[in-house]
Amino acid sequence: MSAAATPSFAIIEVPGYGMRLRAMKDEGGWSISGWRRTQGRKAMVMFAATDAAPTFSETAGQHCVVAGRTYISLPTASQKKLQAFIASTEGTSAQGGAE
């Protein structure tokens, strides 16, 4: 039996939303969660999981990250950081969608 792979993850600031996005890839697939600190406590504000790498699309001028059936709207700077993380983890062929 081989050793389990170490999960890859990134923490990405989402300015204007007061949120930190945590993207993680492990042997089970991808998960993306958003966390916000309010009144000294952390609270999860969104969660998405998918087997395949998240993709990127543009709908009516709004750029989105698509993770499974979840659409996540992000500012351009945060989206580019997430795209770079996915590309470094999956390879550039997995980015897909509009930039």
Side-chain angles (χ1 to χ4, degrees), residues 38-51:
T38 53
Q39 300 176 345
R41 295 185 175 177
K42 274 190 190 177
M44 182 183 285
V45 293
M46 61 82 44
F47 179 81
T50 181
D51 293 334

Side-chain angles (χ1 to χ4, degrees), residues 12-95:
I12 300 167
E13 291 288 332
V14 184
Y17 289 43
M19 181 174 73
R20 286 189 176 159
L21 198 66
R22 181 174 189 249
M24 186 174 82
K25 168 126 182 0
D26 61 17
E27 65 272 355
W30 283 88
S31 65
I32 299 176
S33 56
W35 296 85
R36 178 179 293 168
R37 186 175 294 277
T38 53
Q39 300 176 345
R41 295 185 175 177
K42 274 190 190 177
M44 182 183 285
V45 293
M46 61 82 44
F47 179 81
T50 181
D51 293 334
T55 59
F56 300 86
S57 71
E58 182 179 346
T59 305
Q62 181 67 45
H63 296 277
C64 296
V65 178
V66 183
R69 293 183 178 183
T70 305
Y71 287 72
I72 308 160
S73 174
L74 293 174
T76 304
S78 300
Q79 180 175 331
K80 288 184 183 212
K81 289 178 185 176
L82 182 58
Q83 277 181 312
F85 171 68
I86 291 170
S88 70
T89 305
E90 290 282 321
T92 55
S93 63
Q95 283 188 353

